Amino acid sequence: MPHRQQGVGTFTGIMAEIASRLNFTHRRLLRFAPYRFLVSLGHSHRFLIGVPYLWLTLFFLIPFLIILRISFTEAEIASPPFSNLLAWIDDGLLQITVNFQNYMELWEDGIYIHAYLNSVKIAFFATLLTLIIGYPIALAMSRASKKWQLFLLMLVILPFWTSFLIRIYAWITILSPTGVLNNFINWVGMGIGLIDPNSPVTLQILHTDLAVYIGIVYGYLPFMILPLFATLIKIDDTLVEAALDLGSPPLKTFWTITFRLSLPGVLAGCFLVFIPAIGEFVIPDLLGGSNVTMIGKVLYDTYLQGMNLPLVSAISVILLLIVLIPIYIFNRIQAKQFN
C-alpha cells in the first residue's frame, strides 16, 4: 500500500502537469485576435460593470418597453389582442398610431385613482409599522452573542420555508369571526368574568384594512430585519460606549449614533417592503376581500372582466412611475450625503 505522503506528491504532480498544459494552450491561443479580445474583456472593469446592466436591460428595460408600447394601443379581438403602433400604408409611408385613451380612462375613472391612493397609503403605513417592529428585533439580534446570532437569523428566515399562500390562509383562520383569535379572547374573557357566555364577542378584523396591515407586516417583516441587522452588526460599539462615558443620555446616543449609522439599512429595508407592498395582490384579496381596494386587485379584475390588455398595461406603467418616485428621492439624498 503506498505511503500517504507519496499519494499526496503524486496528486500534486498531476495537478502541476495539468496547469502546465493549460498555460501552454493559453499561450498558443493568444496568437488569435478573438481569443485575445475575450481575455481582455475578462480583465476589464467595464465588463464587470456591464454584466448587471445587461441583466437589467434584458429583464427590466425590454419588458417595460414592451408594456409601455402596449399601453398606447387599442384593445382588439385578435391575436395579439391589441392594435399595432406602426403600420405601412400606401406609397411606402409608415403610419404611427398612438392611443392616449387608456391613460385618460385612468384619470377619469375614480376607482383607479382611489386604488392608487389607497395602495400608497397602505404600503406607507405598513412599511412604517414594519420598521417600528423590525428595528428593535434587528438591534437585539446585533447585540446578541455570536453563538446566538446564527440561530436568531434562522428564526427570521424560517417562515420562508413555508408557502406564502399557505401562511396567508392561516391568517384567515386566525382573524375570522369564528377563528382562533376570537375564540381565545372569548375564552379568556369568560374565564375572568369580563364576557357574558350568552353574548360572546365577535371580532370583525377580517376583510378590513387592519387585516391587510397585519398580513403585509407579517409577510414582509424579514425583508426589513435582514438589511437592518446587516447594517447594525457593522457599527462600532466603542462609539456608543464613548458617547455614554461622555455623559450623553441613552436615547440621544441611540438617535445620534446608532440610528444615524443604520440609515442605509433603514432605507434598504423600507424599499424592500414598500415597493412590493404597493402592488400586492394576494394579501388584500384574501384578507381584505371586496372591502379593501388596492391597485393589484384592480389590475387583476380589469384584465379578467374585459381582457383589456392595453388598459392593464397603462395601469402597470403608472404603478411603476409611482414606485420610481421614492427611488429617485433616495438617490438624491444619497448624492447630497456623498457631496
Side-chain angles (χ1 to χ4, degrees), residues 162-175:
T162 307
S163 171
F164 180 76
L165 190 62
I166 294 176
R167 288 186 279 134
I168 298 304
Y169 271 114
W171 276 106
I172 296 178
T173 306
I174 296 173
L175 299 178

Side-chain angles (χ1 to χ4, degrees), residues 4 13 48 57 60 66 82 88 93 131 166 172-173 197 200 209 215 221 224 231 241 274 282 303 308 313 326:
R4 182 176 181 273
L48 298 177
T57 301
F60 174 76
I66 294 173
F82 50 85
W88 291 100
L93 296 178
L131 176 62
I166 294 176
I172 296 178
T173 306
D209 287 352
L221 187 60
M224 180 67 73
T231 305
E241 295 175 359
F274 179 81
V282 175
Y303 182 75
N308 194 339
S313 300

Side-chain angles (χ1 to χ4, degrees), residues 19-244:
S20 177
R21 290 183 178 181
L22 290 176
N23 186 37
F24 176 76
T25 306
H26 169 68
R27 291 180 180 277
R28 292 287 298 271
L29 291 175
L30 284 175
R31 300 176 182 178
F32 302 98
Y35 183 76
R36 289 199 303 270
F37 175 74
L38 293 176
V39 172
S40 64
L41 283 180
H43 294 285
S44 175
H45 67 281
R46 295 182 180 179
F47 175 76
L48 298 177
I49 297 175
V51 171
Y53 280 103
L54 178 62
W55 180 272
L56 290 174
T57 301
L58 292 177
F59 298 102
F60 174 76
L61 182 59
I62 294 178
F64 170 72
L65 292 177
I66 294 173
I67 295 298
L68 182 64
R69 169 186 172 273
I70 296 175
S71 67
F72 288 109
T73 61
E74 297 181 7
E76 292 183 352
I77 304 176
S79 181
F82 50 85
S83 60
N84 292 323
L85 282 179
L86 305 176
W88 291 100
I89 57 178
D90 296 338
D91 300 329
L93 296 178
L94 181 63
Q95 181 179 5
I96 303 176
T97 305
V98 180
N99 177 34
F100 292 95
Q101 183 61 37
N102 299 318
Y103 292 96
M104 293 176 62
E105 185 173 348
L106 296 181
W107 178 257
E108 295 171 355
D109 197 337
I111 187 174
Y112 298 110
I113 298 177
H114 173 71
Y116 280 122
L117 295 177
N118 198 45
S119 298
V120 172
K121 182 196 74 172
I122 291 178
F124 175 79
F125 285 108
T127 303
L128 184 62
L129 290 173
T130 307
L131 176 62
I132 294 174
I133 298 173
Y135 198 98
I137 298 175
L139 184 61
M141 291 172 57
S142 65
R143 300 287 175 84
S145 60
K146 298 292 183 181
K147 64 179 181 180
W148 284 102
Q149 285 180 354
L150 183 60
F151 174 73
L152 295 175
L153 275 175
M154 187 189 69
L155 292 181
V156 173
I157 303 173
L158 192 62
F160 290 111
W161 296 2
T162 307
S163 171
F164 180 76
L165 190 62
I166 294 176
R167 288 186 279 134
I168 298 304
Y169 271 114
W171 276 106
I172 296 178
T173 306
I174 296 173
L175 299 178
S176 64
T178 58
V180 176
L181 180 61
N182 191 84
N183 293 336
F184 177 75
I185 292 176
N186 284 322
W187 178 71
V188 174
M190 293 176 186
I192 61 178
L194 293 178
I195 297 178
D196 186 3
N198 297 323
S199 57
V201 174
T202 303
L203 297 177
Q204 298 294 335
I205 299 179
L206 194 63
H207 297 165
T208 62
D209 287 352
L210 179 59
V212 177
Y213 284 124
I214 293 174
I216 293 177
V217 171
Y218 165 76
Y220 292 102
L221 187 60
F223 295 103
M224 180 67 73
I225 294 176
L226 294 178
L228 283 173
F229 172 74
T231 305
L232 289 169
I233 200 173
K234 297 178 182 177
I235 297 178
D236 191 357
D237 293 336
T238 58
L239 298 175
V240 178
E241 295 175 359
L244 294 175

